[in-house]
Amino acid sequence: MTNPNNIFHNLVKLFKFGSRKEEHADNDIENIVAHEHKIFSYETLIAATKNFYILNKLGEGGFGPVYKGKLNDGREIAVKRLSQRSNQQKTQFINEAKLLGRVQHRNVVNLYGYCIHGSEKLLVYEYVPRQSLDKLLFRSDKRAVLDWKRGFEIMSGVGRGLLYLHEDAPNCITHRDIKASNILLDQNWVPKIADFGLARLFPQHQTHGFTRVAGTNGYMAPEYLMHGHLSVKADVFSYGVFVLEFITGHRNSSFHLDVHALDLLDLAYNQYKKGRALEIVDPIMASTVVTEQVERCIKLGLLCTQGDPQLRPTMGRVVMMLSKKQGYMDEPTRPRIPSSRYKRSVPRSHGTFEMSSTIGTSAYDIDDSDSYTSYLSNYGTNITSPTASSSGTAEIDRRGKRPMQG
């Protein structure tokens, strides 16, 4: 039997040096499946999903359609079926298989196994019955089920999941796309971080690097959006946005509450400085809040979205602040404003490793990188790379979608 440690070492080694060329994508998938013991036969998944019956379809994302199924042992599963439209989806399949195959945590979605059958590639996950958080959070007719007690537990659970990925997983993992639509809720309302198609695994003893930008508009840290500088603090920024969205019930990527505020972060900071932070709490949830907790969470959201990554807390610090009733918290400055060293162009070779794009999106640079005004003018709009790679032009959808290939 193959030593599991060797399996993981080989996967890390493959991941560490970036994606294979497109012509090798199928070989990568076959190698993963061949070395794994979590293999499902295609016939098993056909039976479980009733031949991918349309009424069993849970939804469809950039990867492809997802179907609900039930195995003979009674386990309910969610089956991601790889879209065959481009090699981009194959890369995402490989990424999720590498990462989730060795990740185990209460607040991270559980990958049961894989299947490869001819041109068909599938990932098999635990079925999470309440689906994604955004389907409740941003719908006024359903948000009432998220009272403060439940919401605080969800925010804390997501924090613990990120802490595991950053500090306790076999290698440090940055998710790169933390947002409500990538948080699944089980029958007991336990949150589970999902969708690792954009995630990056850092080599041992590395904590940051430069990579091509991929993520969701409104959730990306300024140093990452402007220069491709990626570290765990980019996830901390996204988590801060997520916390403020949860408290207000509004998306940062489609903000329109206040003409005097650039976005949700700006509004939260303005109200915080006026001593009126509680006014941003969603009225549907307001009657259930614990004042001390919600004030702490608003301040925490602002600290997590500081422009200088060194001013953001680690997820370990975040979890500690969430778990304590008392404790010192730094005073936040206006969020999202890059520090001076991130307003300058940052060279991409200072002893850090170069990471290739997970899904093949192009890097893009903002002209006049000295100017914060340039950053703000592009924040919340479509951004197209002036130096697009051969795989196509990377574009950010202002409605909060993933980068798309032109």
Side-chain angles (χ1 to χ4, degrees):
M1 179 180 292
T2 306
N3 187 325
N5 292 328
N6 290 335
I7 298 172
F8 184 74
H9 175 75
N10 291 334
L11 292 179
V12 171
K13 185 177 180 181
L14 176 63
F15 190 85
K16 175 179 175 181
F17 293 103
S19 302
R20 300 280 191 184
K21 298 295 185 181
E22 291 190 3
E23 59 266 25
H24 295 310
D26 284 331
N27 290 336
D28 287 343
I29 295 171
E30 290 170 0
N31 288 336
I32 289 172
V33 175
H35 286 89
E36 276 295 335
H37 302 293
K38 300 178 180 179
I39 301 173
F40 287 87
S41 71
Y42 187 65
E43 292 72 23
T44 296
L45 299 184
I46 285 286
T49 61
K50 300 188 186 303
N51 199 18
F52 302 105
Y53 184 44
I54 187 64
L55 293 183
N56 284 334
K57 188 175 179 180
L58 298 172
E60 184 160 0
F63 182 103
V66 182
Y67 296 87
K68 181 181 178 181
K70 190 170 185 178
L71 299 173
N72 289 335
D73 61 11
R75 284 183 297 170
E76 290 186 312
I77 57 174
V79 182
K80 274 190 179 183
R81 193 178 191 185
L82 175 68
S83 170
Q84 299 180 36
R85 289 173 294 182
S86 74
N87 195 69
Q88 189 170 300
Q89 281 73 30
K90 294 180 183 178
T91 306
Q92 185 176 2
F93 179 105
I94 295 167
N95 208 49
E96 292 210 37
K98 289 172 184 171
L99 294 180
L100 288 179
R102 289 294 178 269
V103 169
Q104 293 290 329
H105 190 270
R106 171 181 169 84
N107 298 116
V108 178
V109 70
N110 186 20
L111 178 68
Y112 286 156
Y114 324 82
C115 174
I116 181 168
H117 178 79
S119 60
E120 291 273 12
K121 285 91 180 174
L122 306 104
L123 291 172
V124 184
Y125 296 89
E126 64 175 315
Y127 173 66
V128 184
R130 297 187 190 277
Q131 299 186 40
S132 58
L133 177 59
D134 65 313
K135 292 180 172 60
L136 301 175
L137 183 59
F138 301 123
R139 292 187 56 172
S140 58
D141 59 330
K142 295 186 176 183
R143 182 162 165 75
V145 301
L146 299 173
D147 61 16
W148 177 253
K149 182 177 184 296
R150 181 169 287 162
F152 186 75
E153 290 173 351
I154 290 172
M155 288 185 285
S156 299
V158 174
R160 289 191 294 270
L162 275 176
L163 173 60
Y164 169 78
L165 294 174
H166 291 176
E167 298 184 19
D168 298 326
N171 280 69
C172 175
I173 297 170
T174 55
H175 186 278
R176 291 208 298 174
D177 206 21
I178 292 296
K179 56 184 179 180
S181 60
N182 287 337
I183 306 300
L184 305 181
L185 300 171
D186 74 6
Q187 66 273 17
N188 296 317
W189 299 94
V190 174
K192 295 179 181 289
I193 299 172
D195 198 344
F196 283 72
L198 297 184
R200 305 301 295 178
L201 186 150
F202 286 95
Q204 193 171 14
H205 307 306
Q206 291 280 4
T207 60
H208 65 284
F210 292 95
T211 184
R212 296 179 177 183
V213 177
T216 302
N217 194 33
Y219 301 86
M220 289 185 284
E223 75 280 0
Y224 176 52
L225 177 62
M226 296 173 71
H227 303 296
H229 182 269
L230 180 65
S231 71
V232 293
K233 294 297 185 74
D235 279 350
V236 173
F237 184 95
S238 301
Y239 178 78
V241 176
F242 162 72
V243 167
L244 294 174
E245 287 186 334
F246 202 105
I247 292 170
T248 63
H250 291 277
R251 297 180 191 269
N252 186 47
S253 57
S254 56
F255 176 81
H256 52 77
L257 291 178
D258 188 340
V259 295
H260 301 295
L262 176 70
D263 57 12
L264 184 61
L265 312 184
D266 211 32
L267 173 68
Y269 181 75
N270 291 342
Q271 295 299 90
Y272 170 78
K273 293 299 289 183
K274 294 175 184 176
R276 297 162 56 183
L278 289 176
E279 293 182 16
I280 72 172
V281 177
D282 180 15
I284 296 175
M285 186 173 58
S287 64
T288 68
V289 301
V290 177
T291 301
E292 182 273 331
Q293 283 185 340
V294 74
E295 288 178 337
R296 183 154 33 101
C297 285
I298 291 171
K299 190 172 184 179
L300 179 62
L302 292 172
L303 287 172
C304 287
T305 53
Q306 295 294 283
D308 186 341
Q310 293 189 5
L311 296 179
R312 297 172 210 151
T314 63
M315 287 311 303
R317 176 71 176 154
V318 166
V319 170
M320 184 175 68
M321 287 189 284
L322 286 172
S323 65
K324 287 187 175 182
K325 290 185 178 180
Q326 302 293 334
Y328 174 76
M329 296 175 70
D330 293 329
E331 188 65 20
T333 59
R334 186 170 295 279
R336 195 188 356 81
I337 297 180
S339 63
S340 59
R341 66 178 170 275
Y342 289 107
K343 291 179 185 178
R344 299 188 298 269
S345 291
V346 181
R348 302 198 174 196
S349 56
H350 282 295
T352 58
F353 69 103
E354 182 79 18
M355 295 184 293
S356 61
S357 169
T358 300
I359 60 170
T361 54
S362 304
Y364 53 80
D365 301 305
I366 297 176
D367 293 334
D368 187 21
S369 60
D370 290 337
S371 173
Y372 174 56
T373 303
S374 173
Y375 169 63
L376 295 186
S377 68
N378 286 287
Y379 196 90
T381 61
N382 292 341
I383 302 176
T384 303
S385 170
T387 56
S389 70
S390 60
S391 62
T393 300
E395 185 179 90
I396 304 292
D397 190 325
R398 69 180 302 163
R399 294 183 298 277
K401 303 297 183 182
R402 288 264 186 88
M404 300 174 295
Q405 292 298 313

